[in-house]
mmCIF file of all heavy atoms in Angstrom:
data_model
loop_
_atom_site.group_PDB
_atom_site.id
_atom_site.type_symbol
_atom_site.label_atom_id
_atom_site.label_comp_id
_atom_site.label_asym_id
_atom_site.label_seq_id
_atom_site.Cartn_x
_atom_site.Cartn_y
_atom_site.Cartn_z
ATOM 1 N N ALA A 1324 -50.427 -3.696 -36.577
ATOM 2 C CA ALA A 1324 -50.424 -2.655 -37.618
ATOM 3 C C ALA A 1324 -50.477 -1.309 -36.985
ATOM 4 O O ALA A 1324 -50.392 -1.183 -35.762
ATOM 5 C CB ALA A 1324 -51.643 -2.841 -38.533
ATOM 6 N N SER A 1325 -50.611 -0.291 -37.816
ATOM 7 C CA SER A 1325 -50.661 1.079 -37.296
ATOM 8 C C SER A 1325 -51.852 1.219 -36.372
ATOM 9 O O SER A 1325 -52.916 0.695 -36.639
ATOM 10 C CB SER A 1325 -50.736 2.088 -38.444
ATOM 11 O OG SER A 1325 -51.885 1.829 -39.220
ATOM 12 N N GLY A 1326 -51.710 2.007 -35.312
ATOM 13 C CA GLY A 1326 -52.764 2.136 -34.318
ATOM 14 C C GLY A 1326 -52.478 1.371 -33.063
ATOM 15 O O GLY A 1326 -53.116 1.599 -32.064
ATOM 16 N N TRP A 1327 -51.544 0.451 -33.145
ATOM 17 C CA TRP A 1327 -51.074 -0.270 -31.945
ATOM 18 C C TRP A 1327 -49.714 0.280 -31.517
ATOM 19 O O TRP A 1327 -48.893 0.616 -32.357
ATOM 20 C CB TRP A 1327 -50.981 -1.772 -32.250
ATOM 21 C CG TRP A 1327 -52.329 -2.419 -32.428
ATOM 22 C CD1 TRP A 1327 -53.144 -2.312 -33.521
ATOM 23 C CD2 TRP A 1327 -53.015 -3.215 -31.483
ATOM 24 N NE1 TRP A 1327 -54.319 -3.009 -33.347
ATOM 25 C CE2 TRP A 1327 -54.252 -3.605 -32.077
ATOM 26 C CE3 TRP A 1327 -52.766 -3.689 -30.175
ATOM 27 C CZ2 TRP A 1327 -55.212 -4.391 -31.445
ATOM 28 C CZ3 TRP A 1327 -53.659 -4.489 -29.574
ATOM 29 C CH2 TRP A 1327 -54.897 -4.826 -30.184
ATOM 30 N N ALA A 1328 -49.441 0.323 -30.245
ATOM 31 C CA ALA A 1328 -48.150 0.879 -29.758
ATOM 32 C C ALA A 1328 -47.614 0.014 -28.616
ATOM 33 O O ALA A 1328 -48.351 -0.329 -27.704
ATOM 34 C CB ALA A 1328 -48.315 2.329 -29.272
ATOM 35 N N GLU A 1329 -46.414 -0.345 -28.731
ATOM 36 C CA GLU A 1329 -45.672 -1.033 -27.640
ATOM 37 C C GLU A 1329 -44.344 -0.283 -27.437
ATOM 38 O O GLU A 1329 -43.762 0.210 -28.400
ATOM 39 C CB GLU A 1329 -45.400 -2.489 -28.032
ATOM 40 C CG GLU A 1329 -46.641 -3.325 -28.105
ATOM 41 C CD GLU A 1329 -46.341 -4.778 -28.380
ATOM 42 O OE1 GLU A 1329 -45.098 -5.078 -28.495
ATOM 43 O OE2 GLU A 1329 -47.251 -5.570 -28.508
ATOM 44 N N ARG A 1330 -43.880 -0.225 -26.145
ATOM 45 C CA ARG A 1330 -42.668 0.514 -25.857
ATOM 46 C C ARG A 1330 -41.468 -0.390 -25.953
ATOM 47 O O ARG A 1330 -41.295 -1.298 -25.122
ATOM 48 C CB ARG A 1330 -42.718 1.122 -24.462
ATOM 49 C CG ARG A 1330 -41.467 1.891 -24.080
ATOM 50 C CD ARG A 1330 -41.597 2.585 -22.762
ATOM 51 N NE ARG A 1330 -40.388 3.294 -22.421
ATOM 52 C CZ ARG A 1330 -40.236 4.051 -21.358
ATOM 53 N NH1 ARG A 1330 -41.238 4.191 -20.542
ATOM 54 N NH2 ARG A 1330 -39.104 4.679 -21.113
ATOM 55 N N PRO A 1331 -40.628 -0.244 -26.948
ATOM 56 C CA PRO A 1331 -39.421 -1.066 -27.040
ATOM 57 C C PRO A 1331 -38.487 -0.728 -25.884
ATOM 58 O O PRO A 1331 -38.460 0.389 -25.381
ATOM 59 C CB PRO A 1331 -38.822 -0.672 -28.381
ATOM 60 C CG PRO A 1331 -39.924 -0.003 -29.112
ATOM 61 C CD PRO A 1331 -40.781 0.655 -28.073
ATOM 62 N N GLU A 1332 -37.674 -1.713 -25.491
ATOM 63 C CA GLU A 1332 -36.773 -1.517 -24.349
ATOM 64 C C GLU A 1332 -35.635 -0.555 -24.668
ATOM 65 O O GLU A 1332 -35.083 0.054 -23.809
ATOM 66 C CB GLU A 1332 -36.211 -2.858 -23.918
ATOM 67 C CG GLU A 1332 -37.283 -3.811 -23.349
ATOM 68 C CD GLU A 1332 -37.903 -3.303 -22.085
ATOM 69 O OE1 GLU A 1332 -37.211 -2.564 -21.362
ATOM 70 O OE2 GLU A 1332 -39.073 -3.617 -21.846
ATOM 71 N N ASP A 1333 -35.306 -0.441 -26.010
ATOM 72 C CA ASP A 1333 -34.164 0.381 -26.361
ATOM 73 C C ASP A 1333 -34.576 1.729 -26.935
ATOM 74 O O ASP A 1333 -33.808 2.356 -27.633
ATOM 75 C CB ASP A 1333 -33.303 -0.358 -27.388
ATOM 76 C CG ASP A 1333 -34.074 -0.669 -28.652
ATOM 77 O OD1 ASP A 1333 -35.321 -0.576 -28.608
ATOM 78 O OD2 ASP A 1333 -33.433 -0.979 -29.671
ATOM 79 N N LYS A 1334 -35.831 2.171 -26.635
ATOM 80 C CA LYS A 1334 -36.295 3.482 -27.178
ATOM 81 C C LYS A 1334 -36.558 4.417 -26.030
ATOM 82 O O LYS A 1334 -36.874 4.015 -24.923
ATOM 83 C CB LYS A 1334 -37.541 3.280 -28.004
ATOM 84 C CG LYS A 1334 -37.313 2.542 -29.300
ATOM 85 C CD LYS A 1334 -38.581 2.492 -30.130
ATOM 86 C CE LYS A 1334 -38.343 1.774 -31.478
ATOM 87 N NZ LYS A 1334 -39.572 1.751 -32.301
ATOM 88 N N GLN A 1335 -36.406 5.722 -26.302
ATOM 89 C CA GLN A 1335 -36.716 6.776 -25.350
ATOM 90 C C GLN A 1335 -37.916 7.564 -25.847
ATOM 91 O O GLN A 1335 -38.169 7.672 -27.048
ATOM 92 C CB GLN A 1335 -35.524 7.699 -25.158
ATOM 93 C CG GLN A 1335 -34.294 6.997 -24.601
ATOM 94 C CD GLN A 1335 -33.176 7.981 -24.382
ATOM 95 O OE1 GLN A 1335 -33.363 9.188 -24.491
ATOM 96 N NE2 GLN A 1335 -31.970 7.467 -24.103
ATOM 97 N N PHE A 1336 -38.690 8.123 -24.923
ATOM 98 C CA PHE A 1336 -39.892 8.866 -25.267
ATOM 99 C C PHE A 1336 -39.605 10.362 -25.308
ATOM 100 O O PHE A 1336 -39.009 10.924 -24.386
ATOM 101 C CB PHE A 1336 -40.995 8.600 -24.239
ATOM 102 C CG PHE A 1336 -42.308 9.195 -24.599
ATOM 103 C CD1 PHE A 1336 -43.119 8.603 -25.564
ATOM 104 C CD2 PHE A 1336 -42.738 10.382 -24.006
ATOM 105 C CE1 PHE A 1336 -44.351 9.145 -25.878
ATOM 106 C CE2 PHE A 1336 -43.967 10.938 -24.342
ATOM 107 C CZ PHE A 1336 -44.767 10.304 -25.291
ATOM 108 N N ASP A 1337 -39.989 10.989 -26.427
ATOM 109 C CA ASP A 1337 -39.788 12.440 -26.618
ATOM 110 C C ASP A 1337 -41.064 13.110 -26.161
ATOM 111 O O ASP A 1337 -42.113 13.004 -26.801
ATOM 112 C CB ASP A 1337 -39.495 12.749 -28.078
ATOM 113 C CG ASP A 1337 -39.127 14.193 -28.271
ATOM 114 O OD1 ASP A 1337 -39.284 15.002 -27.323
ATOM 115 O OD2 ASP A 1337 -38.644 14.545 -29.374
ATOM 116 N N VAL A 1338 -40.977 13.877 -25.031
ATOM 117 C CA VAL A 1338 -42.185 14.508 -24.520
ATOM 118 C C VAL A 1338 -42.684 15.622 -25.382
ATOM 119 O O VAL A 1338 -43.863 15.997 -25.361
ATOM 120 C CB VAL A 1338 -41.925 15.040 -23.083
ATOM 121 C CG1 VAL A 1338 -41.669 13.885 -22.123
ATOM 122 C CG2 VAL A 1338 -40.758 16.024 -23.061
ATOM 123 N N HIS A 1339 -41.816 16.210 -26.225
ATOM 124 C CA HIS A 1339 -42.216 17.294 -27.114
ATOM 125 C C HIS A 1339 -42.904 16.748 -28.341
ATOM 126 O O HIS A 1339 -43.960 17.251 -28.773
ATOM 127 C CB HIS A 1339 -40.990 18.129 -27.527
ATOM 128 C CG HIS A 1339 -40.300 18.765 -26.366
ATOM 129 N ND1 HIS A 1339 -40.874 19.801 -25.645
ATOM 130 C CD2 HIS A 1339 -39.092 18.513 -25.790
ATOM 131 C CE1 HIS A 1339 -40.038 20.177 -24.663
ATOM 132 N NE2 HIS A 1339 -38.955 19.373 -24.745
ATOM 133 N N ALA A 1340 -42.396 15.686 -28.925
ATOM 134 C CA ALA A 1340 -43.007 15.122 -30.155
ATOM 135 C C ALA A 1340 -44.095 14.133 -29.799
ATOM 136 O O ALA A 1340 -44.927 13.797 -30.666
ATOM 137 C CB ALA A 1340 -41.926 14.440 -30.977
ATOM 138 N N GLY A 1341 -44.168 13.682 -28.588
ATOM 139 C CA GLY A 1341 -45.196 12.748 -28.156
ATOM 140 C C GLY A 1341 -44.989 11.388 -28.778
ATOM 141 O O GLY A 1341 -45.991 10.650 -28.986
ATOM 142 N N GLU A 1342 -43.807 10.942 -29.030
ATOM 143 C CA GLU A 1342 -43.556 9.627 -29.598
ATOM 144 C C GLU A 1342 -42.196 9.119 -29.120
ATOM 145 O O GLU A 1342 -41.383 9.862 -28.590
ATOM 146 C CB GLU A 1342 -43.564 9.708 -31.127
ATOM 147 C CG GLU A 1342 -42.503 10.642 -31.682
ATOM 148 C CD GLU A 1342 -42.583 10.772 -33.217
ATOM 149 O OE1 GLU A 1342 -43.533 10.254 -33.808
ATOM 150 O OE2 GLU A 1342 -41.633 11.384 -33.763
ATOM 151 N N TYR A 1343 -41.992 7.801 -29.291
ATOM 152 C CA TYR A 1343 -40.709 7.197 -28.935
ATOM 153 C C TYR A 1343 -39.687 7.477 -30.008
ATOM 154 O O TYR A 1343 -39.983 7.538 -31.202
ATOM 155 C CB TYR A 1343 -40.878 5.679 -28.766
ATOM 156 C CG TYR A 1343 -41.711 5.311 -27.549
ATOM 157 C CD1 TYR A 1343 -43.044 4.941 -27.709
ATOM 158 C CD2 TYR A 1343 -41.158 5.364 -26.292
ATOM 159 C CE1 TYR A 1343 -43.822 4.621 -26.602
ATOM 160 C CE2 TYR A 1343 -41.918 5.040 -25.197
ATOM 161 C CZ TYR A 1343 -43.253 4.667 -25.341
ATOM 162 O OH TYR A 1343 -44.013 4.364 -24.256
ATOM 163 N N LEU A 1344 -38.476 7.650 -29.590
ATOM 164 C CA LEU A 1344 -37.398 7.905 -30.527
ATOM 165 C C LEU A 1344 -36.824 6.609 -31.034
ATOM 166 O O LEU A 1344 -36.655 5.663 -30.247
ATOM 167 C CB LEU A 1344 -36.293 8.728 -29.830
ATOM 168 C CG LEU A 1344 -36.752 10.092 -29.267
ATOM 169 C CD1 LEU A 1344 -35.607 10.734 -28.515
ATOM 170 C CD2 LEU A 1344 -37.225 10.996 -30.393
ATOM 171 N N PRO A 1345 -36.557 6.553 -32.314
ATOM 172 C CA PRO A 1345 -35.927 5.321 -32.874
ATOM 173 C C PRO A 1345 -34.499 5.182 -32.395
ATOM 174 O O PRO A 1345 -33.853 6.150 -32.009
ATOM 175 C CB PRO A 1345 -36.023 5.539 -34.392
ATOM 176 C CG PRO A 1345 -36.010 7.020 -34.528
ATOM 177 C CD PRO A 1345 -36.761 7.574 -33.351
ATOM 178 N N PRO A 1346 -33.966 3.962 -32.410
ATOM 179 C CA PRO A 1346 -32.553 3.756 -31.994
ATOM 180 C C PRO A 1346 -31.613 4.552 -32.862
ATOM 181 O O PRO A 1346 -31.813 4.707 -34.067
ATOM 182 C CB PRO A 1346 -32.340 2.266 -32.181
ATOM 183 C CG PRO A 1346 -33.713 1.661 -32.155
ATOM 184 C CD PRO A 1346 -34.634 2.706 -32.756
ATOM 185 N N GLY A 1347 -30.573 5.128 -32.265
ATOM 186 C CA GLY A 1347 -29.600 5.879 -33.013
ATOM 187 C C GLY A 1347 -30.022 7.318 -33.268
ATOM 188 O O GLY A 1347 -29.405 7.969 -34.102
ATOM 189 N N SER A 1348 -31.078 7.816 -32.667
ATOM 190 C CA SER A 1348 -31.505 9.194 -32.901
ATOM 191 C C SER A 1348 -30.517 10.186 -32.278
ATOM 192 O O SER A 1348 -29.669 9.788 -31.480
ATOM 193 C CB SER A 1348 -32.884 9.418 -32.307
ATOM 194 O OG SER A 1348 -32.833 9.220 -30.890
ATOM 195 N N ASP A 1349 -30.629 11.443 -32.622
ATOM 196 C CA ASP A 1349 -29.703 12.460 -32.139
ATOM 197 C C ASP A 1349 -29.781 12.605 -30.647
ATOM 198 O O ASP A 1349 -28.760 12.802 -29.951
ATOM 199 C CB ASP A 1349 -30.009 13.816 -32.814
ATOM 200 C CG ASP A 1349 -29.701 13.773 -34.300
ATOM 201 O OD1 ASP A 1349 -28.925 12.871 -34.709
ATOM 202 O OD2 ASP A 1349 -30.240 14.625 -35.028
ATOM 203 N N GLU A 1350 -31.030 12.548 -30.110
ATOM 204 C CA GLU A 1350 -31.163 12.717 -28.666
ATOM 205 C C GLU A 1350 -30.479 11.593 -27.905
ATOM 206 O O GLU A 1350 -29.819 11.807 -26.890
ATOM 207 C CB GLU A 1350 -32.645 12.766 -28.295
ATOM 208 C CG GLU A 1350 -33.370 14.059 -28.717
ATOM 209 C CD GLU A 1350 -33.770 14.023 -30.216
ATOM 210 O OE1 GLU A 1350 -33.384 13.038 -30.868
ATOM 211 O OE2 GLU A 1350 -34.368 14.993 -30.679
ATOM 212 N N GLN A 1351 -30.640 10.360 -28.418
ATOM 213 C CA GLN A 1351 -29.962 9.227 -27.762
ATOM 214 C C GLN A 1351 -28.443 9.375 -27.858
ATOM 215 O O GLN A 1351 -27.719 9.075 -26.938
ATOM 216 C CB GLN A 1351 -30.392 7.920 -28.406
ATOM 217 C CG GLN A 1351 -31.706 7.368 -27.839
ATOM 218 C CD GLN A 1351 -31.942 5.982 -28.334
ATOM 219 O OE1 GLN A 1351 -31.953 5.744 -29.550
ATOM 220 N NE2 GLN A 1351 -32.146 5.050 -27.403
ATOM 221 N N SER A 1352 -27.993 9.830 -29.025
ATOM 222 C CA SER A 1352 -26.527 10.015 -29.195
ATOM 223 C C SER A 1352 -26.002 11.058 -28.229
ATOM 224 O O SER A 1352 -24.921 10.908 -27.647
ATOM 225 C CB SER A 1352 -26.231 10.425 -30.642
ATOM 226 O OG SER A 1352 -26.651 9.420 -31.537
ATOM 227 N N GLN A 1353 -26.818 12.123 -28.060
ATOM 228 C CA GLN A 1353 -26.381 13.165 -27.091
ATOM 229 C C GLN A 1353 -26.343 12.628 -25.684
ATOM 230 O O GLN A 1353 -25.412 12.918 -24.919
ATOM 231 C CB GLN A 1353 -27.348 14.374 -27.180
ATOM 232 C CG GLN A 1353 -27.265 15.117 -28.496
ATOM 233 C CD GLN A 1353 -28.289 16.238 -28.573
ATOM 234 O OE1 GLN A 1353 -29.033 16.439 -27.620
ATOM 235 N NE2 GLN A 1353 -28.309 16.930 -29.707
ATOM 236 N N ALA A 1354 -27.332 11.842 -25.314
ATOM 237 C CA ALA A 1354 -27.375 11.255 -23.968
ATOM 238 C C ALA A 1354 -26.168 10.342 -23.737
ATOM 239 O O ALA A 1354 -25.514 10.380 -22.676
ATOM 240 C CB ALA A 1354 -28.668 10.487 -23.738
ATOM 241 N N ARG A 1355 -25.897 9.527 -24.765
ATOM 242 C CA ARG A 1355 -24.742 8.623 -24.637
ATOM 243 C C ARG A 1355 -23.434 9.401 -24.608
ATOM 244 O O ARG A 1355 -22.462 9.051 -23.921
ATOM 245 C CB ARG A 1355 -24.727 7.618 -25.770
ATOM 246 C CG ARG A 1355 -25.884 6.635 -25.682
ATOM 247 C CD ARG A 1355 -25.943 5.747 -26.894
ATOM 248 N NE ARG A 1355 -27.040 4.795 -26.806
ATOM 249 C CZ ARG A 1355 -27.411 4.004 -27.795
ATOM 250 N NH1 ARG A 1355 -26.758 4.049 -28.951
ATOM 251 N NH2 ARG A 1355 -28.456 3.174 -27.673
ATOM 252 N N GLY A 1356 -23.398 10.517 -25.363
ATOM 253 C CA GLY A 1356 -22.208 11.358 -25.376
ATOM 254 C C GLY A 1356 -21.952 11.984 -24.027
ATOM 255 O O GLY A 1356 -20.818 12.099 -23.558
ATOM 256 N N ILE A 1357 -23.064 12.439 -23.360
ATOM 257 C CA ILE A 1357 -22.923 13.011 -22.037
ATOM 258 C C ILE A 1357 -22.377 11.989 -21.061
ATOM 259 O O ILE A 1357 -21.488 12.275 -20.246
ATOM 260 C CB ILE A 1357 -24.276 13.581 -21.541
ATOM 261 C CG1 ILE A 1357 -24.690 14.754 -22.447
ATOM 262 C CG2 ILE A 1357 -24.212 13.961 -20.092
ATOM 263 C CD1 ILE A 1357 -26.081 15.298 -22.141
ATOM 264 N N ALA A 1358 -22.926 10.766 -21.147
ATOM 265 C CA ALA A 1358 -22.439 9.697 -20.264
ATOM 266 C C ALA A 1358 -20.953 9.404 -20.545
ATOM 267 O O ALA A 1358 -20.160 9.236 -19.619
ATOM 268 C CB ALA A 1358 -23.250 8.441 -20.476
ATOM 269 N N ALA A 1359 -20.566 9.373 -21.820
ATOM 270 C CA ALA A 1359 -19.193 9.130 -22.164
ATOM 271 C C ALA A 1359 -18.285 10.244 -21.656
ATOM 272 O O ALA A 1359 -17.174 9.988 -21.163
ATOM 273 C CB ALA A 1359 -19.021 8.960 -23.673
ATOM 274 N N LYS A 1360 -18.767 11.502 -21.771
ATOM 275 C CA LYS A 1360 -17.977 12.601 -21.271
ATOM 276 C C LYS A 1360 -17.799 12.546 -19.767
ATOM 277 O O LYS A 1360 -16.746 12.879 -19.217
ATOM 278 C CB LYS A 1360 -18.623 13.927 -21.665
ATOM 279 C CG LYS A 1360 -18.542 14.233 -23.173
ATOM 280 C CD LYS A 1360 -19.216 15.557 -23.481
ATOM 281 C CE LYS A 1360 -19.168 15.856 -24.993
ATOM 282 N NZ LYS A 1360 -19.829 17.132 -25.303
ATOM 283 N N SER A 1361 -18.831 12.108 -19.056
ATOM 284 C CA SER A 1361 -18.741 11.964 -17.613
ATOM 285 C C SER A 1361 -17.687 10.956 -17.218
ATOM 286 O O SER A 1361 -16.865 11.168 -16.322
ATOM 287 C CB SER A 1361 -20.112 11.577 -17.014
ATOM 288 O OG SER A 1361 -21.074 12.559 -17.327
ATOM 289 N N VAL A 1362 -17.715 9.802 -17.918
ATOM 290 C CA VAL A 1362 -16.688 8.795 -17.650
ATOM 291 C C VAL A 1362 -15.303 9.316 -17.976
ATOM 292 O O VAL A 1362 -14.340 9.111 -17.246
ATOM 293 C CB VAL A 1362 -17.004 7.511 -18.451
ATOM 294 C CG1 VAL A 1362 -15.856 6.493 -18.296
ATOM 295 C CG2 VAL A 1362 -18.331 6.915 -18.000
#
Side-chain angles (χ1 to χ4, degrees):
S1325 59
W1327 290 76
E1329 293 183 2
R1330 179 175 179 176
E1332 294 296 331
D1333 60 345
K1334 291 184 179 182
Q1335 298 182 10
F1336 186 77
D1337 187 349
V1338 295
H1339 299 290
E1342 60 183 8
Y1343 291 102
L1344 301 175
S1348 62
D1349 293 340
E1350 288 81 356
Q1351 276 190 305
S1352 299
Q1353 292 176 1
R1355 293 174 180 172
I1357 293 174
K1360 290 180 180 179
S1361 299
V1362 174

